[in-house]
Each structure stands twice: as structure tokens, then as C-alpha cells.
Amino acid sequence: MEHVPPPAEELARLDRELAELDARRAQLLTRRAWLLAALRPPAPTAAPGWNPSAWGAPAAGRPGAPAQPWGYVPPKQPSAPRSAQNVLLTLGGLLLTVAAVAFTLVSWGSMGIGGRSAVLALVTVGALAAPAVLLRRGLTATAEALAALALVLTLLDAYAVHAVAAPDTDGLGFTAVAAAVLAALWTAYGLALGKLHLPLPAAVVLAQWPLLFGAWAAGAPALVVGWALLATAVLDGAIALWGKGTGARVTACVGGSVMAFSALMVGLTLSVTASGPLGALAPGALLLTAAVAALAGAWRAPRGFARAGGVVAGLAAVASVGGVPAAAVPEDWGVLAYLSAGLALTAVVRTRLPRNAVIGVLVASAAVVAGALAGALPGLAAVLLGPVTLLSDVWAGSPGGFRSALDPTLPWTGLAAAPVVLAVSAGLLGAAYRWWPSLARIAAPLIAREEPGPGRGPEGTPGTGTPEAGGAAAPGASGAPHGTGAPWYAGGRAGTSWYAGGAPAARRRPSGAALRGAAGAGAAVLGWGALLLAGAVLDVPYAVAVAGETVLVAGLLALAVRGTGSGREGSAAVPVTALVAALAGAVSAGLLSLAAEGASYAVFGALAALFAGAAVRVGAGVPRAMFAVAATVGCTVLTGFAGRSLGLAPHEAAPLMLLVPALTVLFGARLRRNPVALPVELTGALGALVAVGLAVPDAPFLALVLALCGVLAAGAAVRPERRPVAAYLAAALFVLATWVRLAASEVSFPEAYTLPVTVPALVVGFLRRRKDPEASSWTAYGPGLAATLLPSLAVAWTDPDWQRPLLLGVSALVITLLGARYRLQALLLLGGAVLALDGLHELAPYVVQVAGALPRWLPPALAGLLLLVVGATYEQRLRDARRLKDALGRMR
């Protein structure tokens, strides 16, 4: 009997079957659409302006193309027959070339002069004529192979002519003439057969050598060789701009770069090594001509090449113009001539040169200035870091001059121009910072100038597009105030989009405020460095050097305080840089003052006062904290000086070093939650740590210093915000001071001193736990137990008798059992740890004996077995560890 399901079950079954049918239908429709697209003939090659939407079906691989069914594997495309054909043709051409070379070099002497000439001429003519016939029949690859063979044959013809017709001719001269003739021949041949890709690049390669080999053959001087290289580079540039075919243009670009670089190196070498201004004129003319040629090429080149051409032109112009006066002054001062020429390049912003070329010239100017500044860095580093050597002999006596406190091996006479370079650069940056709006107006035409976009002509031609591509200028290019369309160079917020529409920029430029701040920061640093280096170069007296560095620190601090309080947007660069320079200058001045006692007190006292005054004057925030920390460090150093002046040993001066940490604790209590309080107190804590380090050699003084540090920590713990850390620190310091004092007194029974402390402490803890059951056992019993257990454990480890370890072990066992019974974490962990260490001490001799009796292979085997067992039961051990952690966490 057929089973009839209930109506609800039958309805659900029908719904499932209909859904499966719909899914299958959608899959079949997708497959059908893909097959239709595969059978459709391929679309024609897209031409400029072609609109794919005009066709009925979307292009393959574009959005909207029929989707392939899941799991479909497209059929494997057959390998292109062209690849195999090219391989065969290449191998054939190589074999014919090898045969031609072998015939010319090996079989040449077996034939007469007529036969040799006739055979080589006929083969060459045939190789040159065959590509034309093959191109008409559409055999392009074969024509390319025969053209390569023809190129080799023409080179062999030249060799044959020299070997037979003109054997006495100079090789370099004949090579120059042959290269020129072959370059012209292959240029004409390539233009005549425009479908061949090889002749024109080959002609460009051959065109690199005629002028160079001709100059060498004539025995021309290096300057003439430089002119030959430059002329060849100019020819390459013309081919790269207006040549036919991508291969020829790329080859010309590479060859022109090599030749231009060689010409510039020749000109620069001759200019630098010239004996006088007249001797530098001729290479200067070569360099200046190269600069003009590079600018001419940059006028028509794309953006990247135009900027590179501007850089080359700027550097060549600097070497040309600066080389003449540099040859007339001493070698050390020649850098000023090049620096002046590099700074003069900035006038290019007022010219009508293309925008990218101007940017390249400005980059060259910046590179020249950076190179000049890099030459002053060794002297500046010596001034800042040289006084480090005084740390090994503090207060040895004032040196005679500034250089005596620095590196004596540095050639200071060769750095005579370095302070001038720094001063000039600082002055220019300062002027830019002061008159930034005027500079922005001068640079406005450069920024607003259009560039050619894709498919456009030279810069400045009409067109549409983004300003980056040479289209319409963006709103705001008129120089309106920022926020209503002002350009980036006029100032405003950093990161503002510099092109039209207000859309997020793909490339963001720095704001005018940021650039102005960078100029001001650079002026401050360079000016400070110029004054420092000038003192070393002039070798001023030691007292003047110390006072001068301190005054410079005061000036930088004033600049930092003034800039921080100005509140102007984008002005943070100057005060931050001044603050960093002030800190570096303070370190250098402090090190320099270590040569004399009076100078040390004067400098560190002045620095502490200066930083303290800056902390008072500046607004709240990071600068105030840094100023306060620096002042605290200065006061700490002064207390160390006081101990040395009093003739105290380092451990005897340690308590005196705690004067500043005590003042920082009082200062923190005064400031409370002020952001400056914590950095100052931490700095004072570092001073206390230094005091502890000084007292380590003497145990009684170390105990005293630790106790005093505990008093300071207890004083800080009075404040609620410091109590969670300072309270535990104070307890630890007091206990540690007690242990050190007992050890220093050679006490053999520390329990006589610790038990009177432990018993009242445990009673107080018990009373607190009765009053507050939720109080932690560490707070109630931890300090009291540690006061006795830990010193006793330390003594037990060196006690040869058995009574103390036994009593300590029994006490630790009782404490551990009490902790487990009453679920007190402090008792359990402290007692267990002491019991384990005490037991280890007692078992150690027997373990050593057993380990010596065991075979050497057994301990590693046991360790490996243990690791295997732990690894096999890792999950169970992990769960046990978690349960133990939870159990300890539930204890008080």
C-alpha cells in the first residue's frame, strides 16, 4: 500500500525540488552564455577613442563578461608556432654568422684578392637585399634574422677593407671612419625597411664611437675627448627625442646617459685640478654647454626625464660657474664658490623653463647645499662628542684652548670654511622663514604652471585634465587664503589636497606652514652649529668656549620656550628642534666643563637654573616635563660634585646624592597629579639608584643608603596615587637594608634580630585579617614572614651544621601546611619556596654523588624521557597548571 505523506511534509518536499530545479537552470544558463561568448568572433583591436560599450558582448576578462561555471578548466592553448620559428631562425642566423666569421678569418688566404672581394661583396649584397623581398611576402622574422647577418657581414667588410686595402692605416682612425660610415648605412637601411627592428638600434650603437675614436686617434687632449663625448651625447639625445622606433630611442637614451656622464666626469676632473682661474675656463665651458644641452632636452622630455635633465643641468652649471673662483682661492675655501653657485640656481623659479626642469634644477641646488653641509659634519661632531674624553680624567685642569679638549687628530685647518658654510645656510633658511609669504608668491607661478598630460604637446599648451596632467588649474591657484582654495605653498594645514575638486589626493604635498617650520628649524640648528664650529676653528680660550656653549644653550631654550608658547599652527618644528639642540648642547657643555672644578660648578649650576626657568615659563605638556627632568639631572650632578670637592670617597658621598631624590619627593607631593610630577620623581629615583651603586663597595654605607631610600619611598607612599608602588618598594628597601646591615656586622644568628620584628608584624597582620577578612595575605603576613625566612635561608645555605636547616625546614613546612589549611596564598608560596630551597640544599651533596656515579649517557636519556612524557601529556599538564593557577587565585 502506497504511503501518502501529510500535506505539510509533501509541500516542503516540493519546495526543495523546485529550488534544485532553479539552481540547475541557473547553472545551465551560465554555461550557455559562456559558450555563446566563446563562439563569438574576436573583437577588433581597440583604436584611440574606441568605446567597448558599442559592442553587444563585453570584452573577455572585463566586468560583465559571462561567468565561467565553477570547476571549468579552459582548454589549453596551443603553443604559438612563431616561438619555434623564431628559435630556428635565430639558430640559423647564428650559424651563418659563425660561418662568415670563420670564412673571413680562416679561409681568407686560400683565395685570390678578386675572389675574396667578390664572394664577400656578393654575400653582403644578398644579405642586405633578402630582407626587402621577405618583408613583401610577410616573413618578418626571417627578414630580421637575415638583417642581423647582414650587420655582421658589413662589420666583416670593414675588417676586410682595413686588412687588405689599408693595412697601414691607424686602427683607431679607421675604426672611427668605419663606424661613421656603417652608422649612416644602417640608418638609411633601417629607414628604408621600416618594419625591421634591428637596423636602427644597431646604427645608434655604431654612432657612439666615431667622434670618440677619432679624438683618440688624433691624440687630442682630455678636453677635446670631453667635447667628443658631449657631442655624441647630444646626438643621442636628439635621437631619443625625435628618433623612429622604440628600440632606437631606448638605445640612444642609454648611450646618451653613458656618454654624458663620461663627458661631465672629464670636465669636472679638469675643472677641479685646474692650476688657476684661466685653466678652469675651458672645462667650465664644456660643463656649461652640457648644462645647456640637458636643459634643451628637458624642454621636450617626459616628466621623469625632464627632472633628471634639470638635475644634471643644475649640477653641471654649479661645477662650471663655481669651478673658476674655486681655482683662485685656497683649497679649503673652494666649497664656498660651489655653494654660492648652488644657491644662485634658485633664481630658476623666475624663468620660463618647464616646471619639471625647474624642479630638477632646484633638486640639484639642494644637493649642492647638502654636500657642502656634509663637509662640515665631522668638525661639528668633534665639537659635540670630543669632550667625552674628559670623563677619564675629571678636573685635571683647564686646557689652553678649545681644541685641546677635543680630538687633536682632526685637521682643523682644513675646516676653516665649514663655519661659514653653516652660517650662510642658516642665514638663508632664516630669511626664508622670516619672509615666507614673499617666497610663496614668487613660487606661485611655478606651482600653478601646467604640465602636458597624456597625448598632449609641450607644457603650457591648451587642454583639459588635472593640474598634474596639464589641465585646468585647481581652485585655489589664484592665491586666495587657505580654506577658500589657497594652494599648498601659501600655508595652512598639512596634507591638504593641492588639486581641484576637494577629493582625496593621490599624492599629498606638505603644507606651507610645515615647510616654513622646517626652514626655521634648519636655521636654528645650522646657526647653532656654525657658532660651535667657529669656536673650535678659531681655537678660542677654554673659558670662552665653555661660556659660549652655555650661552648658546640659553638661547636655544629661549627659542624653544617662545615657540612653544606662540600657539601658531605648524610652528612646532622650531621649538622642538630648539629643545633637542638645547639638550645636546647641554650635554656637550657639561662634558666640556669637566676639565676644571670651577667650570663644572658654573656650567651645571647655570644649566640647572636655565632648565628650571624654562620649565616655569613654558606651558604644560611634554616640554615642561623635559625641562624639569633636565634641571633635576643637573642638580643631581651638582651633589656629586659636592661630594668630590669635600674629598669624600664614592661610598661616602652616596648619602649626599640622596638630597635631590628627597627634594623630588617633596616636589611631587607639592604638585600632586600634575603631569610634571611623575617624570621628576622618576628622575630622582634614578639618582637614588646611582647613590646605591656608589655605596655598593661598602656594606655599612649601603645599608644606610638603602634605609634612607626606604624612608623616601615611604614618604612617597603617603600619597594615595603613589601608594600601590611606593609602599611595597619601601618595605623591600627596609628589609634589604636590614639584611645588608646584618651581613656587614657578621651576625651569625640573624633570627635574634628578625624574630622580634616578625612576631609583632604577624600579630598586626592577624588583627587586620580579623578586621578585614578580604585583605590579602601578602599584605598581612608577607612582610613579617619574609623578614625572618629569607635571611635564615641565606645563612642556612652557608651553614655547615644541620640544626639551622632542620629548624628552618620544619618552620617552612608548618607555614606551608597552615597556608594550605586556611587557603592563604602568602603562607603557602613563601613556606613552600623556602622548604624547597632548604631541601635542595640538604640533598645537593647526595645528588652530586649520585650524578657522578651514573653513566654519562643516563642524565640526557632521563631528560629526554621526561620531555617525551610531558609532551605526550601536554594537554593534561596544561589543565593541571590552569587548575593550580585558579586555586592559587582563589586564595587570599
Side-chain angles (χ1 to χ4, degrees):
M1 183 175 179
E2 183 180 359
H3 172 68
V4 179
E9 182 180 349
E10 185 176 4
L11 179 61
R13 183 183 301 173
L14 290 176
D15 289 339
R16 287 195 299 270
E17 292 179 356
L18 288 174
E20 293 175 358
L21 290 175
D22 290 339
R24 179 60 179 167
R25 184 174 184 275
Q27 183 180 4
L28 292 175
L29 287 176
T30 302
R31 177 65 178 173
R32 179 178 181 276
W34 184 87
L35 291 174
L36 289 175
L39 294 174
R40 186 175 291 116
T45 303
W50 176 69
N51 185 10
S53 62
W55 292 78
R62 296 178 178 272
Q68 297 179 0
W70 181 85
Y72 169 74
V73 178
K76 185 178 180 180
Q77 298 293 336
S79 60
R82 291 285 185 184
S83 59
Q85 179 188 15
N86 291 336
V87 172
L88 295 176
L89 290 174
T90 303
L91 291 177
L94 288 175
L95 290 176
L96 288 175
T97 302
V98 172
V101 173
F103 170 76
T104 304
L105 299 179
V106 179
S107 302
W108 188 255
S110 62
M111 300 179 63
I113 185 63
R116 291 179 295 193
S117 302
V119 170
L120 196 56
L122 286 175
V123 174
T124 304
V125 171
L128 289 173
V133 179
L134 294 174
L135 286 176
R136 286 198 295 268
R137 297 189 177 183
L139 302 176
T140 306
T142 308
E144 289 284 357
L146 288 179
L149 176 61
L151 172 62
V152 177
L153 289 175
T154 55
L155 296 177
L156 295 177
D157 287 335
Y159 169 76
V161 170
H162 181 264
V164 176
D168 298 330
T169 308
D170 179 63
L172 284 176
F174 184 85
T175 302
V177 175
V181 173
L182 291 178
L185 172 64
W186 278 94
T187 300
Y189 187 74
L191 293 176
L193 302 179
K195 293 184 179 181
L196 295 178
H197 299 290
L198 183 61
L200 290 179
V204 174
V205 174
L206 290 172
Q208 307 302 308
W209 312 114
L211 293 178
L212 179 60
F213 285 170
W216 281 352
L223 184 61
V224 177
V225 175
W227 281 105
L229 292 171
L230 180 59
T232 305
V234 171
L235 177 62
D236 289 332
I239 296 173
L241 289 175
W242 297 289
K244 181 181 179 181
T246 304
R249 298 174 70 177
V250 171
T251 305
C253 185
V254 174
S257 300
V258 175
M259 292 297 174
F261 178 78
S262 302
L264 290 174
M265 288 299 100
V266 171
L268 181 61
T269 303
L270 294 175
S271 177
V272 172
T273 58
S275 58
L278 295 179
L281 287 176
L286 173 63
L287 293 171
L288 191 59
T289 305
V292 173
L295 282 182
W299 200 283
R300 298 287 302 179
R303 181 176 67 180
F305 290 97
R307 293 186 178 181
V311 173
V312 172
L315 295 177
V318 169
S320 171
V321 177
V324 176
V329 298
E331 182 180 357
D332 302 334
W333 294 90
V335 64
L336 293 178
Y338 294 106
L339 177 62
S340 301
L343 294 174
L345 289 180
T346 56
V348 75
V349 297
R350 303 305 298 267
T351 64
R352 300 296 298 172
L353 288 175
R355 177 178 180 272
N356 287 311
V358 172
I359 292 176
V361 174
L362 293 179
V363 170
S365 175
V368 171
V369 176
L373 294 176
L377 290 181
L380 184 58
V383 173
L384 292 176
L385 302 178
V388 174
T389 57
L390 297 175
L391 288 173
S392 60
D393 196 6
V394 178
W395 294 356
S398 301
F402 193 5
R403 294 183 195 171
S404 301
L406 306 176
D407 186 4
T409 61
L410 196 67
W412 293 103
T413 56
L415 297 173
V420 182
V421 171
L422 295 176
V424 171
S425 302
L428 291 175
L429 289 177
Y433 179 79
R434 175 62 179 83
W435 292 287
W436 183 261
S438 300
L439 292 179
R441 286 193 299 270
I442 294 174
L446 171 64
I447 306 304
R449 194 174 301 168
E450 297 177 349
E451 296 183 16
R456 289 172 44 111
E459 299 181 77
T461 55
T464 59
T466 64
E468 177 65 22
S478 59
H482 191 81
T484 59
W488 65 274
Y489 52 82
R493 294 171 295 179
T496 305
S497 176
W498 71 285
Y499 60 85
R507 180 180 62 186
R508 297 189 181 275
R509 296 178 180 269
S511 70
L515 291 176
R516 182 179 186 181
V525 172
L526 294 179
W528 168 61
L531 293 174
L532 285 179
L533 195 53
V537 170
L538 297 176
D539 196 16
V540 298
Y542 173 76
V544 176
V546 172
E549 288 203 22
T550 308
V551 171
L552 287 177
V553 172
L556 290 171
L557 286 177
L559 183 61
V561 171
R562 180 181 179 185
T564 304
S566 63
R568 292 182 299 176
E569 184 181 11
S571 61
V574 176
V576 169
T577 305
L579 174 58
V580 174
L583 293 175
V587 173
S588 178
L591 293 175
L592 186 63
S593 68
L594 295 179
E597 181 178 2
S600 300
Y601 278 107
V603 169
F604 278 95
L607 291 177
L610 287 173
F611 280 104
V616 173
R617 292 295 303 274
V618 78
V622 176
R624 169 173 285 184
M626 294 185 68
F627 291 147
V629 166
T632 305
V633 172
C635 294
T636 303
V637 175
L638 285 175
T639 57
F641 288 162
R644 184 181 178 88
S645 298
L646 294 175
L648 301 177
H651 63 274
E652 295 173 341
L656 186 62
M657 293 283 294
L658 296 177
L659 178 61
V660 174
L663 293 177
T664 58
V665 171
L666 297 176
F667 186 72
R670 173 69 176 175
L671 293 180
R672 290 290 179 178
R673 298 186 182 274
N674 191 295
V676 180
L678 181 59
V680 171
E681 290 182 81
L682 291 178
T683 307
L686 290 178
L689 187 61
V690 172
V692 171
L694 292 175
V696 166
D698 190 274
F701 271 94
L702 177 60
L704 174 62
V705 171
L706 290 173
L708 292 176
C709 291
V711 172
L712 296 179
V718 174
R719 297 155 52 194
E721 67 273 11
R722 300 285 185 264
R723 187 171 301 154
V725 176
Y728 290 104
L729 180 61
L733 288 172
F734 283 133
V735 172
L736 186 59
T738 303
W739 295 344
V740 172
R741 181 66 260 184
L742 293 176
S745 301
E746 298 181 355
V747 174
S748 58
F749 295 96
E751 294 82 4
Y753 298 91
T754 57
L755 284 176
V757 178
T758 297
V759 173
L762 293 178
V763 172
V764 171
F766 176 75
L767 295 176
R768 179 176 180 181
R769 287 273 301 172
R770 289 188 60 183
K771 184 178 180 180
D772 182 14
E774 297 299 324
S776 173
S777 61
W778 288 101
T779 305
Y781 304 119
L785 291 175
T788 295
L789 289 178
L790 297 183
S792 298
L793 179 63
V795 176
W797 269 75
T798 58
D799 192 350
D801 297 329
W802 58 271
Q803 293 88 352
R804 185 189 304 277
L806 177 61
L807 293 176
L808 179 63
V810 171
S811 302
L813 177 61
V814 171
I815 293 172
T816 304
L817 294 177
L818 289 175
R821 170 65 179 82
Y822 295 102
R823 305 181 62 81
L824 298 176
Q825 191 180 99
L827 275 68
L828 180 62
L829 294 182
L830 275 175
V834 172
L835 180 62
L837 292 174
D838 186 64
L840 179 62
H841 171 263
E842 294 303 308
L843 294 177
Y846 304 102
V847 172
V848 171
Q849 292 178 3
V850 172
L854 291 176
R856 293 184 179 274
W857 57 266
L858 189 57
L862 294 176
L865 181 62
L866 177 63
L867 292 177
L868 288 177
V869 172
V870 173
T873 60
Y874 175 75
E875 295 295 334
Q876 180 62 35
R877 302 287 79 77
L878 192 61
R879 287 192 292 269
D880 294 342
R882 287 171 179 167
R883 285 197 295 268
L884 178 60
K885 178 184 176 182
D886 295 338
L888 289 175
R890 288 191 293 269
M891 294 182 178
R892 299 301 301 173

